[in-house]
Amino acid sequence: MKNICYTLLIALLFSSCSEYQKALKSEDIATKFKMGTELFDAGKYSKANKLFAQIAPQYRGKPQAEKLMYMYSTSFYKMKDYYLAGYQFERFEDQYPKSEKAEEAGFLGAKSFYYLSPVYSKEQKETVTALEKLQLFINKYPDSEYLPEANKLIQELDYKLERKAFEIAKLYNEIANFESEDYEASIKAFDNFLLEYPGTTFREDAMYYRFDAAYKLGINSIERKRQDRLNTALKYYNAFYKAYPESQYTAEASLMNTELQTAIQNYTTKS
């Protein structure tokens, strides 16, 4: 009995493959459409996609075109080919703005760009594009059922940009430990970061590292610039301590502040 079932299964498999190959080679677009739809409904998106690609141009302007292009776009998404999914969903939404699938297509198209966003340490061009696409979707469909997820994706993308900017600013600080003249670049980078991302989760770290750079710049400065730089460092310490009096960096920052106070006092005594 087991052998019979196995034989039937093999026969069914070969029959299915044979029908698919026939559909691929067929000149009948209706046959391709029907087979492609069946494969799509069965979750065999790669095979369905090949058939849809063959007939998409011929169905342009026909009543079935809307359904075909929706399935075609979705098949790319399901195959995780997000470049083409984003492109095809945008085309679908433009061509069928009144479709009941237009909103879904708009969201999945924007989400496709989200999936193209790389890790924070890499170039973030795709992340910026994804943010733009998601914001356009939200503006177009402010009452969408996909709004909560769209906002969540935007938060994740924003975090990547914040992390990227923070790590760049921090890198200036690390480089400056070897080349003291780069402390000014580090301070400027953290100033810009805090201005651009006022609500960032890295605010405490950024304010500390900015003070750290200003402290090192002041302590190691040439004589004619030292006093002004020491006072600037003290200003950054006060801003940091006011914002985070119980910071994880408090002990270290306090020691640095004591050294600054002593150095500044020396100038006061001299004058």
Side-chain angles (χ1 to χ4, degrees):
M1 186 66 182
K2 287 183 179 179
N3 289 336
I4 294 174
C5 291
Y6 181 75
T7 302
L8 289 173
L9 183 63
I10 294 296
L12 184 62
L13 180 63
F14 275 105
S15 174
S16 175
C17 291
S18 177
E19 288 179 16
Y20 174 67
Q21 291 299 325
K22 286 180 181 178
L24 278 176
K25 296 174 182 178
S26 174
E27 298 295 326
D28 185 357
I29 62 173
T31 298
K32 293 177 186 290
F33 185 95
K34 181 175 181 295
M35 173 65 75
T37 302
E38 290 173 356
L39 290 168
F40 180 87
D41 291 340
K44 297 178 180 179
Y45 301 109
S46 180
K47 286 186 174 182
N49 179 274
K50 290 178 181 178
L51 289 169
F52 295 150
Q54 289 182 343
I55 61 176
Q58 290 95 321
Y59 269 94
R60 191 175 292 116
K62 294 186 177 182
Q64 304 96 321
E66 181 182 329
K67 179 180 179 181
L68 171 62
M69 296 313 297
Y70 169 77
M71 291 189 296
Y72 188 40
S73 303
T74 303
S75 66
F76 281 116
Y77 184 84
K78 294 293 186 178
M79 292 159 59
K80 299 185 179 181
D81 188 340
Y82 296 120
Y83 279 105
L84 287 176
Y87 171 72
Q88 291 296 342
F89 275 128
E90 283 190 343
R91 285 189 65 195
F92 178 87
E93 191 183 9
D94 289 341
Q95 291 174 0
Y96 307 102
K98 296 182 179 180
S99 170
E100 63 177 16
K101 297 291 188 180
E103 182 180 326
E104 179 188 353
F107 175 66
L108 292 179
K111 192 174 180 180
S112 295
F113 288 98
Y114 159 83
Y115 283 123
L116 294 173
S117 171
V119 296
Y120 78 88
S121 57
K122 295 185 177 181
E123 169 62 42
Q124 293 300 299
K125 180 180 177 181
E126 288 86 356
T127 301
V128 173
T129 300
L131 279 167
E132 292 171 351
K133 298 293 185 182
L134 285 163
Q135 192 58 57
L136 284 172
F137 171 79
I138 289 173
N139 294 344
K140 191 170 184 178
Y141 303 101
D143 301 316
S144 172
E145 63 178 293
Y146 302 108
L147 194 62
E149 187 177 357
N151 283 323
K152 182 175 179 292
L153 297 179
I154 285 176
Q155 287 178 354
E156 290 182 26
L157 295 170
D158 275 336
Y159 177 82
K160 281 187 185 181
L161 295 182
E162 284 182 24
R163 181 74 184 273
K164 176 76 172 181
F166 173 74
E167 294 296 341
I168 289 173
K170 189 177 176 182
L171 182 61
Y172 276 117
N173 189 277
E174 292 171 356
I175 292 172
N177 288 326
F178 301 97
E179 301 178 30
S180 59
E181 64 270 17
D182 283 337
Y183 284 123
E184 287 185 282
S186 176
I187 295 167
K188 185 174 179 60
F190 280 118
D191 277 339
N192 291 339
F193 173 77
L194 290 165
L195 281 172
E196 189 171 356
Y197 303 102
T200 177
T201 55
F202 298 107
R203 184 173 179 79
E204 177 183 345
D205 303 86
M207 292 185 74
Y208 169 73
Y209 284 117
R210 180 179 65 176
F211 163 58
D212 177 65
Y215 157 79
K216 290 172 180 174
L217 180 64
I219 291 296
N220 296 298
S221 281
I222 58 175
E223 192 65 25
R224 65 185 176 84
K225 293 183 177 181
R226 198 162 187 257
Q227 187 173 13
D228 286 343
R229 287 175 171 177
L230 289 171
N231 287 325
T232 298
L234 183 61
K235 180 188 73 173
Y236 283 134
Y237 170 78
N238 290 333
F240 167 73
Y241 184 75
K242 183 178 179 180
Y244 302 100
E246 297 181 2
S247 168
Q248 59 176 319
Y249 304 112
T250 296
E252 189 173 356
S254 295
L255 290 173
M256 292 155 66
N257 177 52
T258 299
E259 188 174 352
L260 286 173
Q261 296 282 6
T262 301
I264 292 170
Q265 184 62 38
N266 288 338
Y267 276 100
T268 304
T269 302
K270 286 178 183 179
S271 59

